[in-house]
Amino acid sequence: MSYRVILRASALALTLACASVGAAQAQSISQALTAAYEHAPELQSALLNAKATAENIVTAKAGKLPTIGASLGATQSFSSPSAATGGGASPFANSQLQAGLSYNQTIFDNFQTDAQIEAARAGAEAAEYQLRNAEQNVLLDVVQAYMAVLSGRELLALRQDNVSFFEAQLKSAQDRLDVGEGTRIDVAQAQARLAQGQAAYRAAQGSLETSQATFQRLVGMRPQSLSASHNYGNLIPRSLDAAISEAEVGHPAILMAKAGIRAAQAGSDAAQAAGGPTASMVGNLGGNWNQNNRGGGGTSSWSASLGFNVSIPIYSGGRIGAAVRKANLEQIKSEVDAMSAYDQIREAVIASWAGIQSADAQIQAAQAGVSSSNTVLDGVIQERDLGTRTTLDVLNAQADLTSARESLINASSNKTIATFSLLSAMGRMSARDLGLQVQIKTAVPYTQAVEDVWQDLRTIVE
């Protein structure tokens, strides 16, 4: 049996062994993305942050609503009788009970509260887009980890194939030397290549273990049987300009930047409004009840008041002016940040698009290289057997074939990663766009619920 037949049988066995690992629990890219979406702590953290940010809306709305309070107090006091009344008299006791209601409301604040409410709403919207952006990043990380494991397994099988080939060549060189047809140089060269192949195999093992650990961290489970097949390429537009246009309209990072501009503009309005007049109304209603042990009588009284105040700031030591200047600078900064976000997204789309084109070319070149190197290796082995080639020629031909096969593995992996990178750059690397069977993580229902600022009062009444 020829060395090539033995080698191909070994490669086939290794491929089948890798494919059979966890075959009962095969993981497609969609399944890995689904598991990661449910597991990722980064998404849960971003969701909690969005919900916490939504509470700023309630805080801002409170500035336009009244604050109502109730108070209740009781006092029991004692005093000893004077000498004139006689030492045997009972001590004087006095009981007092107070109850009251207070009302305080800002009637006008130069629209400062309105601006603060708008800033809070824009901040909550930005936090929601931040969650969407985190989703893009997490799912892309999962694809990269998925392909790292898949290509790592293929490289490990390839390098095991390489080791088996070098072992066969070493045995062949030793056999020829034993019968006087070879040289010690052939044996030494085969031994050196075998050592290099074994070192490369161990390096591939270490790299694969690292990739599997990353996969488990992101997905929440160890990788099983993986496959690079998917149909998400259908989400990619037909032209680069269409991809850029879609990214500029819907990418979460750009939408987050737009919300940041709104928040900064509202913050500037609020800072300017702080220099205007404010009007407020204050009301109080209270009662007082007294009871003593002198004749068993008691007294009661009540009082009510309603006040109206107008306040106009004249000089604040520069605090208001500084706040206005700072808010204006932050507004300009938000616009600069938005321009930067546009540029970064556009760059990412172009780079990913180019990555797909480059990977396609690399795959074609690698496929041609593998086919050619296979033919060359077969011919060199036959010529070596006829005595017209050396063992070194065979080893070099095998190295060329290994390099071509590694290039094909890497190019195929790069094509898949570039495809998902383009989806991420377009803002379509989301559970909804990918059709993942999950409950979408969003803070929108929570934000809508907390907009009901009267819920605290209803809770107390109920």
Side-chain angles (χ1 to χ4, degrees), residues 408-424:
L408 180 57
I409 292 172
N410 291 329
S412 300
S413 176
N414 291 341
K415 171 66 178 296
T416 301
I417 293 175
T419 299
F420 283 96
S421 295
L422 179 57
L423 291 176
S424 177

Side-chain angles (χ1 to χ4, degrees), residues 73-239:
T75 304
Q76 182 74 33
S77 60
F78 300 92
S79 61
S80 60
S82 63
T85 60
S90 300
F92 298 139
N94 184 63
S95 299
Q96 187 177 38
L97 177 66
Q98 306 93 19
L101 292 174
S102 63
Y103 177 93
N104 192 323
Q105 182 175 9
T106 299
I107 300 175
F108 178 75
D109 63 356
N110 200 30
F111 307 106
Q112 182 180 21
T113 298
D114 293 311
Q116 291 172 342
I117 293 173
E118 175 62 19
R121 284 174 173 161
E125 185 177 332
E128 176 68 18
Y129 289 130
Q130 186 177 19
L131 170 60
R132 300 274 74 81
N133 197 54
E135 181 180 354
Q136 306 280 323
N137 297 332
V138 167
L139 295 182
L140 181 59
D141 288 343
V142 171
V143 172
Q144 291 172 337
Y146 188 100
M147 295 309 300
V149 174
L150 183 58
S151 61
R153 288 176 175 176
E154 293 174 347
L155 287 172
L156 185 65
L158 174 60
R159 291 180 181 179
Q160 178 61 66
D161 182 355
N162 223 22
V163 169
S164 300
F165 179 86
F166 289 141
E167 287 174 344
Q169 293 305 309
L170 177 59
K171 184 177 184 303
S172 175
Q174 186 66 52
D175 291 343
R176 289 196 305 275
L177 178 62
D178 292 342
V179 298
E181 294 181 359
T183 66
R184 294 186 180 278
I185 294 177
D186 292 336
V187 174
Q189 289 171 336
Q191 288 174 333
R193 290 298 177 90
L194 175 59
Q196 292 174 359
Q198 290 171 336
Y201 176 78
R202 295 189 184 96
Q205 273 186 320
S207 178
L208 178 58
E209 290 175 358
T210 301
S211 299
Q212 288 175 337
T214 302
F215 182 99
Q216 185 171 3
R217 175 178 64 83
L218 293 172
V219 180
M221 63 183 70
R222 290 187 61 82
Q224 306 298 330
S225 177
L226 308 182
S227 171
S229 61
H230 64 85
N231 59 357
Y232 294 127
N234 298 329
L235 299 176
I236 295 177
R238 295 184 177 181
S239 68

Side-chain angles (χ1 to χ4, degrees), residues 144-438:
Q144 291 172 337
Y146 188 100
M147 295 309 300
V149 174
L150 183 58
S151 61
R153 288 176 175 176
E154 293 174 347
L155 287 172
L156 185 65
L158 174 60
R159 291 180 181 179
Q160 178 61 66
D161 182 355
N162 223 22
V163 169
S164 300
F165 179 86
F166 289 141
E167 287 174 344
Q169 293 305 309
L170 177 59
K171 184 177 184 303
S172 175
Q174 186 66 52
D175 291 343
R176 289 196 305 275
L177 178 62
D178 292 342
V179 298
E181 294 181 359
T183 66
R184 294 186 180 278
I185 294 177
D186 292 336
V187 174
Q189 289 171 336
Q191 288 174 333
R193 290 298 177 90
L194 175 59
Q196 292 174 359
Q198 290 171 336
Y201 176 78
R202 295 189 184 96
Q205 273 186 320
S207 178
L208 178 58
E209 290 175 358
T210 301
S211 299
Q212 288 175 337
T214 302
F215 182 99
Q216 185 171 3
R217 175 178 64 83
L218 293 172
V219 180
M221 63 183 70
R222 290 187 61 82
Q224 306 298 330
S225 177
L226 308 182
S227 171
S229 61
H230 64 85
N231 59 357
Y232 294 127
N234 298 329
L235 299 176
I236 295 177
R238 295 184 177 181
S239 68
L240 175 59
D241 290 339
I244 293 176
S245 298
E246 188 170 342
E248 290 178 342
V249 171
H251 196 285
I254 290 179
L255 298 176
M256 181 170 62
K258 289 181 177 180
I261 292 177
R262 283 178 46 217
Q265 289 174 339
S268 177
D269 293 340
Q272 293 176 5
T278 60
S280 60
M281 184 169 60
V282 179
N284 289 283
L285 175 64
N288 186 34
W289 294 266
N290 287 286
Q291 180 71 40
N292 58 60
N293 61 352
R294 286 184 173 182
T299 62
S300 64
S301 63
W302 65 275
S303 64
S305 65
L306 182 64
F308 182 78
N309 298 317
V310 176
S311 174
I312 302 175
I314 297 177
Y315 178 69
S316 62
R319 177 179 58 83
I320 295 177
V324 171
R325 291 191 297 272
K326 179 181 178 181
N328 290 338
L329 291 173
E330 289 177 345
Q331 180 178 349
I332 297 173
K333 177 180 178 297
S334 68
E335 295 171 354
V336 173
D337 290 342
M339 294 173 59
S340 176
Y342 271 99
D343 292 340
Q344 291 176 9
I345 295 303
R346 188 179 299 109
E347 178 188 12
V349 171
I350 294 173
S352 300
W353 187 276
I356 294 176
Q357 311 307 314
S358 175
D360 284 334
Q362 291 173 3
I363 290 173
Q364 293 178 4
Q367 288 173 339
V370 170
S371 177
S372 173
S373 297
N374 267 317
T375 302
V376 170
L377 181 58
D378 286 334
V380 171
I381 290 176
Q382 292 174 6
E383 292 175 358
R384 191 277 313 278
D385 292 342
L386 295 174
T388 60
R389 290 294 189 105
T390 66
T391 298
L392 180 59
D393 293 329
V394 174
L395 298 175
N396 289 337
Q398 171 64 14
D400 291 340
L401 174 59
T402 300
S403 177
R405 292 172 67 185
E406 288 185 357
S407 296
L408 180 57
I409 292 172
N410 291 329
S412 300
S413 176
N414 291 341
K415 171 66 178 296
T416 301
I417 293 175
T419 299
F420 283 96
S421 295
L422 179 57
L423 291 176
S424 177
M426 292 167 52
R428 302 201 63 183
M429 192 70 178
S430 66
R432 182 175 285 107
D433 287 323
L434 298 179
L436 303 183
Q437 300 301 311
V438 296

